[in-house]
Each structure stands twice: as C-alpha cells, then as structure tokens.
C-alpha cells in the first residue's frame, strides 16, 4: 500500500498572529493614517494590502479580513483585488523577491536565459522560495525599463543590463548578506517586508539616493535639447459652455 500523499502546504500556515493584541493596535493606527489620505476609505485598499504584506511577507486570509474591517467592505471585495494584482502575494515571500523580466524585449536580450539559469542555480521553480527563505524567484512582465534589457528586479529595485553570470552573482551575494547596490534608486536594498511598507506609503527616504534615470532613457531628451525642440504649448482650455448650451 502506498504512503498517503502529503497534503499541500496551506497558504496561510504562518498567518494571523500579527493581527491581534498590541501589534494590531499599531497596525490600526497605520491603517488610519493610510485611509486619511483618500476621500473615501475603500480607495485606500491598494496601500493597505501593501501594509498587511509588510507584516507577514504576503497577504494572508487574516490580512484580508483586517483590510475589510478597516475599510468597511467585504472580504470578497478585498480578495478580488488581492488576487488580481500580482504584486500581492498569497504565499510567504523570502527576504528578497527576485523578478526576471521575460517579456519579449528582455527575453530576446537574455532574460529567458537568466531566468532558466537562476531556476537551476537556486533549485527553485517560478514563484518558489529557496530552502533558506532568502530568495523568491519569479518571472515578471515588462518593468518599463526596456532600454536596460535584460532587467532583473530585487524587491522592485532595478538591476539593469544583466547577464546569466551577473544574475547568479547577485543572488549569491544576497544569500551571503553582502551589500548589494541597485543600478538606480536607493544605494542599498531593504527586505521584501520593508519594501512593502514603503509601497504602503511609509517612505523610508531612500528612493532618490541614487540616479533615477540612465543615459538610454535620457537620450531623446538630450537630442531634443541640442536641436531646440519643444513640446507644443497645450491648446487653450475651451470656454465653459453657458447654462443654455448645457441644457
Ligand atoms: S521588456 Fe523587460 S523591461 Fe520591458
């Protein structure tokens, strides 16, 4: 008789405790801060999902219930949003989320090769985490950084012009706890949870430490400056229709 199959790991096995006691009180204050930025509470759902993700590293069932309670909406409404946007994870993510762009431009420039190489090097599949809990690997859609293809992102920070070798060194350095500097943006990386808190709107003040745009992104602007090209002035706004016309 064959051994019974191991049941699948529940998505929420580590979840829930952070939404009780003193921690809940602290989170409720943070949630209040987020909600106050919007005219209607439900408009705060996206940053609130990042906030609960910053606590557990993913959006658990308990996190969904927390968002629903804070916003006065149903858990079904929160779940619909949390499962639509891929930046919200329903399973625990490692300290570093490593995303490899495999959209066509990056793919043909080496993104597919980088992704295949990292899967083998880390011994994980897509959307899986290494046994030491350090790295979660995922292939990403276009990061709007095609002029630096192939692009890898770590916790949403850019690592431009990558190769299979540089990407392997990047993940090795992350696992060893070495200082790793993104190509643009901050001068160092924070963890996935910390990055989620920044996305919830709690700025850590580091986003503008490094360069925001590289030479390829600015090339068109340089040409326009050299040639004295300017965007046309916007057309004057039409005069508001008088009441008679509006009826
Ligand atoms: S295709 Fe990779 S960043 Fe656009």
């Amino acid at each position: 008789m064959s051994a019974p199959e191991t049941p699948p790991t529940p998505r929420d096995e580590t979840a829930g405790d952070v939404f009780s006691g003193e921690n809940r009180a602290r989170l409720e204050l943070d949630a209040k801060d987020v909600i106050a930025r919007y005219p209607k509470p439900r408009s705060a759902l996206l940053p609130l999902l990042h906030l609960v993700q910053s606590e557990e590293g993913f959006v658990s069932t308990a996190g969904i219930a927390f968002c629903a309670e804070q916003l006065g909406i149903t858990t079904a409404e929160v779940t619909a949003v949390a499962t639509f946007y891929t930046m919200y994870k329903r399973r625990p993510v490692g300290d570093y989320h490593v995303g490899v762009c495999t959209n066509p431009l990056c793919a043909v420039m080496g993104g597919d090769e980088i992704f295949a190489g990292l899967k083998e090097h880390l011994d994980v599949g897509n959307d899986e985490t290494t046994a030491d809990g350090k790295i979660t690997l995922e292939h990403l859609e276009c990061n709007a950084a095609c002029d630096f293809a192939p692009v890898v992102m770590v916790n949403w920070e850019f690592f431009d012009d990558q190769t299979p070798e540089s990407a392997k060194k990047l993940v090795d350095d992350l696992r060893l706890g070495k200082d790793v500097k993104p190509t643009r943006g901050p001068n160092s990386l924070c963890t996935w949870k910390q990055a989620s808190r920044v996305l919830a709107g709690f700025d850590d003040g580091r986003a503008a430490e490094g360069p925001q745009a590289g030479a390829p992104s600015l090339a068109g602007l340089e040409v326009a400056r050299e040639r004295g090209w300017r965007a046309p002035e916007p057309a004057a706004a039409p005069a508001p229709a008088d009441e008679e016309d509006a009826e």
Side-chain angles (χ1 to χ4, degrees):
M1 190 176 149
S2 60
E5 278 184 25
T6 309
T9 306
R11 292 188 161 211
D12 276 349
E13 65 176 348
T14 61
D17 288 353
V18 299
F19 300 104
S20 61
E22 278 180 22
N23 207 55
R24 185 183 182 90
R26 178 182 62 78
L27 275 176
E28 283 180 347
L29 284 178
D30 284 346
K32 215 170 149 189
D33 185 343
V34 172
I35 292 166
R37 298 174 200 157
Y38 297 89
K40 291 183 182 171
R42 64 188 302 132
S43 305
L45 177 54
L46 297 183
L48 222 54
L49 283 165
H50 283 300
L51 180 68
V52 300
Q53 188 156 263
S54 77
E55 288 295 310
E56 298 185 287
F58 70 114
V59 178
S60 67
T61 302
I64 285 173
F66 178 83
C67 290
E69 281 168 37
Q70 302 306 306
L71 300 175
I73 58 179
T74 66
T75 53
E77 287 172 302
V78 178
T79 303
V81 174
T83 54
F84 179 81
Y85 293 109
T86 55
M87 283 175 84
Y88 303 118
K89 307 299 179 193
R90 297 303 317 281
R91 281 181 289 189
V93 170
D95 291 340
Y96 300 101
H97 174 270
V98 174
V100 182
C101 180
T102 53
N103 254 205
L105 183 58
C106 280
V108 297
M109 295 292 282
D112 279 348
E113 207 185 330
I114 290 171
F115 186 61
L118 286 183
K119 277 202 292 187
E120 193 183 349
H121 188 63
L122 296 168
D123 194 23
V124 294
N126 181 49
D127 204 15
E128 289 181 1
T129 301
T130 52
D132 60 5
K134 293 279 184 199
I135 309 278
T136 298
L137 181 67
E138 186 181 3
H139 75 84
L140 298 179
E141 302 300 323
C142 179
N143 297 300
C146 316
D147 37 1
F148 303 102
V151 171
V152 171
M153 296 194 92
V154 180
N155 295 345
W156 309 122
E157 300 298 350
F158 288 108
F159 289 80
D160 300 335
D161 303 315
Q162 291 294 294
T163 64
E165 293 69 36
S166 67
K168 283 178 197 165
K169 179 169 178 349
L170 171 62
V171 295
D172 286 348
D173 286 349
L174 290 171
R175 294 178 94 179
L176 289 170
K178 290 189 181 173
D179 243 0
V180 169
K181 189 176 173 334
T183 316
R184 292 172 277 137
N187 287 330
S188 60
L189 283 174
C190 61
T191 65
W192 169 255
K193 288 182 181 177
Q194 289 165 332
S196 297
R197 187 167 170 83
V198 173
L199 289 171
F202 295 95
D203 188 8
D204 64 2
R206 300 180 320 117
E209 281 176 347
Q212 301 300 296
S217 302
L218 299 173
L221 189 63
E222 290 302 316
V223 171
R225 278 190 184 135
E226 279 167 24
R227 301 186 183 184
W229 293 344
R230 291 176 60 85
E233 293 301 326
D242 61 33
E243 279 179 27
E244 221 172 80
D245 291 344
E247 282 169 7

